[in-house]
Amino acid sequence: MATGIKDKVVIIGMGCTHFGERWDCSAEDLMVESFSECLADAGIARDQIEAAWFGLSVDEQNLGKSALSLSETLRLPNIAATRVENMCATGTEALRGAVYAVAAGAYDVALALGVEKLKDTGYGGLPERNKGTFDDLWFPSATAPGSFAQFASAYVARHGMNMDKLKQAMAHVSWKSHENGILNEKAHLRSRVSIEKILNAPMISYPLGLYDCCGVSDGSACAIVTTPEKAAEMGKTGTLVSVKSMQLALSNGSEMSHDSWDGSYALTTRVASQKAYAEAGVSNPQRELDLIEVHDCFSITELVTMEDLGLSEVGHASEDILAGKFDRDGEVPCNVDGGLKCFGHPIGATGLRMTYEIYQQLHGRAGERQLNNPRLGLTHNLGGFPNKNVCSVSLFGHYSA
């Protein structure tokens, strides 16, 4: 009988580049930058890595298909390397591949690296891509802001809420991200904005204004994983960050097929989070989680995610957000590194960037934004659209916890 992933794999090294408009760097340069930090952090030689997983989402604008670019750029020792792509969960998928391979006993040491170089496209958001013959038939002109804006419309309809009240809570989400991003030297956006400026910003897709939307970035992040036993053999005697759970849930078409889903929440987040809590042995996430990194592609996404993760009662996330529950000094600090909104969103690297923040916090290395003795953190990705998406929920904590 399957027993899950809890405490079978530990992370012994991580690296992350500065996210932003990296005009001076190629995607290969970014990969070398994150890998160099990661390798030094792990304290191992490159030849000790036995397999690698490579997260790259927009291959048309980046490094092409396959994992050859990873192997060649890092001069990996002719090992197995696999490219993965699963929308905005791509970085987490790379990590999941490495973690599962080590847990299965196929390898002792594995690498997961994600990268994206998107600013060269010239777009403020994602470049337009072919979605495949049949998806283009169903929604040929769908955009991310347009699709996620419908979260807000459905939410106020379901809960009988005034849109102005919801907008106040959404503005608090964006304000919080900017306040946190200021403290992160690797963040793409490090500027303070007022609630008034957020509320009065130009409209992108009603009710999402400019500051309700994250942009895209250039960046890379990576991790090296092994077993706790192998880490001990390597002399890793201090704090070890362990993988507590990694769960994935994908839409199966029910959201698009009938009216059982009203559009006010992400069905997959609810499924993935419950499985992740069970795998990690978490019974009360509000009390047990010390920090969370969630997919705030839009402010409304973060708001509904608080309910989907079971951290707010359904219909009451706005009240919790405005009360500061998810602020850096709140009950459940959320996106303390600035999140997608301010740290940035190079798609293939985002999931690993989230893990990097949890890893840094658990090691007490987060500098000005360091929280008080965190022991358990959560990451969440939501790739695609509210009605058709890939959701990952993962938990990381101290090995002894």
Side-chain angles (χ1 to χ4, degrees):
M1 181 177 178
T3 57
I5 200 75
K6 183 180 180 182
D7 287 336
K8 294 179 179 176
V9 176
V10 295
I11 302 173
I12 58 171
M14 290 206 74
C16 183
T17 69
H18 175 271
F19 283 9
E21 298 180 352
R22 301 292 301 269
W23 307 115
D24 58 324
C25 294
S26 65
E28 291 90 340
D29 291 331
L30 296 171
M31 291 159 66
V32 170
E33 185 177 326
S34 67
F35 181 65
S36 298
E37 180 188 346
C38 184
L39 200 61
D41 185 39
I44 65 171
R46 183 192 324 240
D47 289 352
Q48 290 180 261
I49 299 170
E50 299 172 332
W53 275 259
F54 181 40
L56 174 68
S57 182
V58 190
D59 57 280
E60 298 92 336
Q61 274 81 26
N62 278 282
L63 295 159
K65 302 185 186 305
S66 92
L68 273 172
S69 54
L70 176 74
S71 183
E72 292 177 341
T73 300
L74 302 184
R75 299 291 191 268
L76 296 177
N78 302 114
I79 58 175
T82 304
R83 179 189 161 219
V84 298
E85 194 283 324
N86 222 350
M87 295 183 163
C88 292
T90 294
T92 300
E93 280 291 76
L95 180 60
R96 196 166 70 100
V99 165
Y100 275 34
V102 168
Y107 303 104
D108 281 334
V109 181
L111 167 73
L113 185 146
V115 68
E116 215 78 53
K117 188 83 168 66
L118 290 171
K119 300 309 294 184
D120 293 346
T121 65
Y123 287 90
L126 290 171
E128 185 60 29
R129 292 167 289 164
N130 182 287
K131 305 178 186 70
T133 303
F134 296 108
D135 273 358
D136 276 344
L137 180 67
W138 282 103
F139 51 132
S141 301
T143 65
S147 298
F148 279 89
Q150 295 177 60
F151 253 156
S153 302
Y155 190 91
V156 296
R158 176 178 182 180
H159 300 295
M161 181 181 288
N162 182 286
M163 183 62 87
D164 289 340
K165 180 182 177 183
L166 184 66
K167 285 276 292 179
Q168 286 285 342
M170 290 161 54
H172 188 99
V173 168
S174 300
W175 169 84
K176 168 179 64 65
S177 295
H178 279 268
E179 290 294 309
N180 292 340
I182 290 170
L183 303 178
N184 185 355
E185 63 183 13
K186 292 187 175 182
H188 187 164
L189 301 178
R190 302 187 67 194
S191 57
R192 180 166 279 129
V193 294
S194 67
I195 294 289
E196 291 71 25
K197 187 172 185 178
I198 294 169
L199 289 171
N200 293 316
M203 192 61 61
I204 301 299
S205 180
Y206 182 83
L208 304 179
L210 177 65
Y211 291 99
D212 292 305
C213 310
C214 85
V216 295
S217 312
D218 304 329
S220 174
C222 64
I224 293 175
V225 299
T226 188
T227 63
E229 295 77 16
K230 189 68 178 178
E233 289 178 18
M234 294 174 176
K236 307 290 183 185
T237 56
T239 298
L240 276 178
V241 173
S242 173
V243 180
K244 302 295 183 182
S245 64
M246 298 196 81
Q247 290 291 333
L248 194 70
L250 275 70
S251 295
N252 64 4
S254 63
E255 298 102 317
M256 297 266 291
S257 303
H258 44 78
D259 62 359
S260 61
W261 176 71
D262 65 8
S264 67
Y265 62 97
L267 175 65
T268 53
T269 298
R270 296 186 179 188
V271 173
S273 61
Q274 289 306 309
K275 290 182 177 179
Y277 295 148
E279 185 174 36
V282 169
S283 57
N284 188 333
Q286 291 197 49
R287 289 185 180 178
E288 296 177 59
L289 290 173
D290 296 310
L291 75 159
I292 59 175
E293 289 284 324
V294 306
H295 206 83
D296 59 322
C297 50
F298 301 95
S299 57
I300 185 62
T301 316
E302 180 173 324
L303 187 149
V304 301
T305 298
M306 297 303 101
E307 298 179 7
D308 293 340
L309 292 176
L311 302 175
S312 284
E313 296 298 322
V314 173
H316 294 278
S318 294
E319 298 160 19
D320 288 343
I321 287 169
L322 291 171
K325 180 175 180 177
F326 305 109
D327 291 355
R328 193 165 59 87
D329 59 354
E331 184 181 340
V332 187
C334 176
N335 292 346
V336 293
D337 61 356
L340 275 68
K341 179 69 176 66
C342 289
F343 199 145
H345 188 23
I347 302 173
T350 289
L352 281 157
R353 182 275 298 167
M354 293 175 167
T355 309
Y356 178 79
E357 178 64 15
I358 302 291
Y359 178 82
Q360 295 292 80
Q361 289 281 350
L362 293 176
H363 276 292
R365 304 175 185 166
E368 289 185 84
R369 63 184 186 282
Q370 178 64 48
L371 302 174
N372 183 27
N373 194 31
R375 298 182 64 80
L376 185 66
L378 173 149
T379 66
H380 160 266
N381 296 117
L382 191 70
F385 301 101
N387 60 0
K388 188 181 180 68
N389 61 71
V390 176
C391 177
S392 66
V393 177
S394 306
L395 272 70
F396 306 91
H398 288 167
Y399 178 61
S400 58

